[in-house]
């Protein structure tokens, strides 16, 4: 079985290559990949090469397939897994398998298992970790977005609060409390807003901040305060650059009480320090953003840590239960992570898109591995459609879906590209 895959050989050394996969063993599964969304973590792996904690030191001699947010179809099942999996079954995958303490993960560590490929071999440890998940959604791209959504779900479940007179922590956000998502109009921030409004455990107030009016306006049309109100949540979008006193404005939204749960979505010193300043008594801040600077730091109010019981956590991924929750919420139509996607492309665009990810504005970049297509912003479909009927149809479909990528758009793409 031949595969076409984007392989990492070292720092900034990605190569799109076609090569032969070995025959699977009784412990392995052959998978056809349909979608892979590009994560900033893949950019970091490409940037660091063998210096990345999940990438093998000998990657130059034994390249790995990059990409860990993928979805597809099982094509062949090894003898030892035939009782659990079947050919033709759609799947999503939890890459953070943590097999026997190893940092190895699909998309970072395996020569034959990664998302940016037409076909891949899923190794036994993925199934032994219960990380190959059944997926029953109506579009493959949702299965790719289950992994980033699981990071958000895990981030919420990791919040904790103290109980007076006890050393036990009460996990999760404070129900009926105040949540603020700082620098939250990007793709992961929008996912965090979506989950806060539509999950079972809800706050009373969700505030999403950013400094970009265009991003905030887009967020407001996709995740509306009106819909949030129907779910019992007050949703407010704030451009903190437009506030004469941002701290005071944000505190006033809570009647001076502050925020029980704070999501910090960007490794920016002023953002972190503003987040620290608006924590309520027993407030918990999650430094969700992953900095590339090993020396990144910001000021923290230790007086409040001591006397106001404020506290900090940092999460960067979700576990398999978080992934299952994400898949379940998507399949039920309660959350729509399509709000994250702003660009769509084929496997031929994956290399440049990954290496230049920080410089490409917008949200998630979605790759269809069996398609050749330049990475294209959904917002550009209409203009391109003036001379190209293919993009004209995609523009029509996405316009009918509030400007979002959707199952109908995916079906048209796979049938016509």
């Amino acid at each position: 079985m031949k595969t076409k895959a984007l392989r990492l050989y070292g720092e900034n050394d990605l190569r799109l290559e076609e090569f032969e996969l070995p025959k699977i063993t009784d412990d392995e599964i052959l998978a056809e990949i349909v979608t892979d969304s590009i994560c900033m973590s893949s950019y970091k792996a490409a940037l660091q090469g063998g210096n990345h904690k999940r990438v093998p030191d000998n990657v130059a001699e034994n390249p790995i397939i990059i990409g860990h947010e993928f979805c597809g179809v099982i094509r062949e099942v090894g003898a030892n897994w035939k009782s659990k999996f079947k050919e033709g079954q759609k799947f999503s995958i939890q890459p953070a398998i943590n097999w026997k303490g190893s940092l190895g993960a699909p998309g970072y560590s395996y020569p034959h298992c990664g998302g940016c490929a037409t076909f891949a071999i899923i190794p036994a440890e993925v199934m032994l970790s219960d990380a190959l998940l059944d997926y029953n959604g109506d579009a493959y791209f949702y299965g790719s977005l289950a992994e980033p959504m699981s990071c958000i779900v895990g981030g919420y479940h990791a919040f904790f609060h103290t109980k007076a007179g006890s050393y036990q922590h009460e996990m999760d956000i404070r129900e009926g409390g105040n949540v603020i998502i700082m620098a939250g109009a990007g793709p992961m921030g929008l996912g965090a807003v979506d989950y806060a409004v539509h999950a079972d455990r809800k706050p009373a107030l969700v505030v999403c901040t950013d400094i970009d009016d265009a991003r905030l306006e887009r967020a407001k049309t996709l995740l509306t305060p009106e819909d949030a109100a129907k779910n019992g949540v007050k949703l407010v979008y704030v451009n903190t650059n437009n506030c004469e006193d941002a701290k005071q404005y944000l505190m006033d939204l809570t009647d001076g009480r502050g925020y029980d749960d704070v999501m910090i979505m960007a490794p920016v010193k002023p953002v972190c320090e503003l987040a620290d300043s608006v924590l309520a008594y027993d407030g918990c801040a999650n430094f969700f953003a992953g900095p590339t600077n090993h020396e990144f730091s910001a000021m923290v109010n230790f007086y409040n840590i001591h006397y106001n019981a404020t506290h900090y956590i940092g999460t960067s991924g979700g576990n398999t239960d978080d992934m299952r929750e994400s898949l379940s919420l998507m399949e039920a139509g309660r959350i729509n992570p399509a709000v994250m996607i702003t660009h769509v492309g084929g496997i031929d665009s994956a290399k440049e898109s990954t290496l230049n990810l920080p410089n490409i504005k917008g949200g998630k970049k979605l790759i269809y591995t069996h398609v050749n297509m330049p990475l294209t912003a959904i917002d550009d479909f209409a203009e391109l459609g003036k001379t190209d009927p293919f993009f004209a149809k995609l523009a029509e479909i996405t316009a009918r879906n509030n400007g979002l990528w959707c199952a109908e758009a995916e079906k048209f793409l796979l049938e016509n590209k």
Side-chain angles (χ1 to χ4, degrees):
M1 169 66 71
K2 279 194 173 181
T3 186
K4 181 182 284 187
L6 188 62
R7 297 206 282 184
L8 178 67
Y9 282 81
E11 296 176 23
N12 293 303
D13 189 357
L14 287 174
R15 306 178 198 176
L16 183 60
E17 299 176 321
E18 193 169 17
F19 58 95
E20 195 77 28
L21 289 172
K23 182 175 174 57
I24 65 166
T25 69
D26 289 346
D27 283 328
E28 296 174 329
I29 287 176
L30 176 68
E32 180 178 2
I33 314 300
V34 179
T35 56
D36 179 55
S37 58
I38 303 176
C39 178
M40 187 60 75
S41 296
S42 293
Y43 163 75
K44 292 172 186 174
L47 188 70
Q48 298 172 16
N51 294 318
H52 191 282
K53 63 182 181 179
R54 293 189 184 275
V55 176
D57 294 338
N58 66 346
V59 68
E61 294 77 34
N62 294 286
I64 59 94
I65 301 176
I66 206 162
H68 59 275
E69 298 177 357
F70 58 101
C71 181
V73 184
I74 292 173
R75 290 305 182 201
E76 187 180 348
V77 180
N80 294 338
W81 295 108
K82 286 186 180 295
S83 62
K84 187 170 183 180
F85 300 99
K86 61 183 184 295
E87 294 176 7
Q89 179 180 347
K90 289 197 289 188
F91 72 89
S92 183
I93 197 164
Q94 165 58 273
I97 55 177
N98 298 317
W99 178 246
K100 295 185 176 180
S102 168
L103 289 174
Y108 296 95
S109 317
Y110 292 97
H112 301 133
C113 185
C116 199
T118 51
F119 294 89
I121 295 175
I122 302 175
E125 49 264 41
V126 172
M127 285 73 79
L128 291 168
S129 302
D130 198 24
L132 186 63
L133 307 178
D134 189 34
Y135 170 61
N136 296 302
D138 61 352
Y140 290 99
F141 76 89
Y142 283 123
S144 279
L145 295 178
E147 196 281 333
M149 271 307 305
S150 78
C151 299
I152 293 163
V153 173
Y156 275 96
H157 290 330
F159 279 116
F160 71 92
H161 299 280
T162 57
K163 188 176 181 180
S166 169
Y167 294 111
Q168 292 185 344
H169 293 158
E170 296 179 332
M171 302 304 297
D172 223 306
I173 65 168
R174 189 177 298 284
E175 193 158 14
N178 302 325
V179 166
I180 188 167
I181 302 161
M182 308 289 294
M188 296 301 278
L190 293 181
V193 173
D194 195 5
Y195 183 80
V197 170
H198 296 111
D200 291 334
R201 189 180 183 94
K202 292 182 176 64
L205 172 69
V206 174
V207 176
C208 175
T209 77
D210 208 278
I211 58 172
D212 187 316
D213 279 331
R215 279 158 55 109
L216 285 166
E217 283 304 313
R218 178 178 183 268
K220 197 180 298 185
T221 62
L222 298 176
L223 297 163
T224 68
E226 293 77 16
D227 175 68
K230 292 176 184 176
N231 286 274
V233 178
K234 181 180 180 181
L235 175 59
V236 181
Y237 293 97
V238 178
N239 186 328
T240 50
N241 263 4
N242 296 340
C243 300
E244 185 175 340
D245 184 336
K247 175 187 174 183
Q248 188 62 52
Y249 185 88
L250 295 174
M251 291 295 288
D252 287 346
L253 292 173
T254 68
D255 295 324
R257 194 170 75 80
Y259 295 85
D260 303 288
D261 300 285
V262 177
M263 276 273 204
I264 303 170
M265 309 302 289
V268 178
K269 187 173 185 285
V271 172
C272 296
E273 293 176 351
L274 179 58
D276 179 73
S277 74
V278 298
L279 279 166
Y281 180 85
D282 192 32
C284 186
N286 184 344
F287 183 59
F288 188 87
T292 54
N293 178 4
H294 291 200
E295 304 300 321
F296 178 78
S297 61
M299 294 292 290
V300 171
N301 188 321
F302 279 86
Y303 181 93
N304 285 340
I305 288 175
H306 187 85
Y307 289 105
N308 287 332
T310 58
H311 40 274
Y312 283 80
I313 58 173
T315 61
S316 61
N319 61 29
T320 302
D321 286 339
D322 299 327
M323 189 116 170
R324 286 198 174 94
E325 182 179 350
S326 301
L327 289 166
S328 175
L329 289 170
M330 285 189 288
E331 289 169 1
R334 291 175 58 185
I335 61 172
N336 183 13
V339 298
M340 297 180 177
I341 299 170
T342 57
H343 293 69
V344 179
I347 196 168
D348 55 327
S349 68
K351 173 183 172 179
E352 292 305 317
S353 300
T354 302
L355 292 176
N356 293 298
L357 196 59
N359 303 316
I360 307 173
K361 290 184 178 181
K364 276 281 182 187
K365 284 71 185 175
L366 178 67
I367 299 297
Y368 283 86
T369 63
H370 288 269
V371 167
N372 287 320
M373 172 181 163
L375 187 73
T376 309
I378 295 172
D379 285 348
D380 291 341
F381 286 171
E383 183 63 29
L384 293 168
K386 292 176 180 179
T387 56
D388 187 330
F390 171 77
F391 283 110
K393 183 63 177 177
L394 282 181
E396 176 200 325
I397 294 170
T398 52
R400 284 192 274 105
N401 286 272
N402 201 22
L404 297 177
W405 193 249
C406 58
E408 185 184 355
E410 176 179 281
K411 185 174 185 291
F412 176 78
L413 173 71
L414 292 176
E415 290 177 351
N416 292 278
K417 203 59 167 148

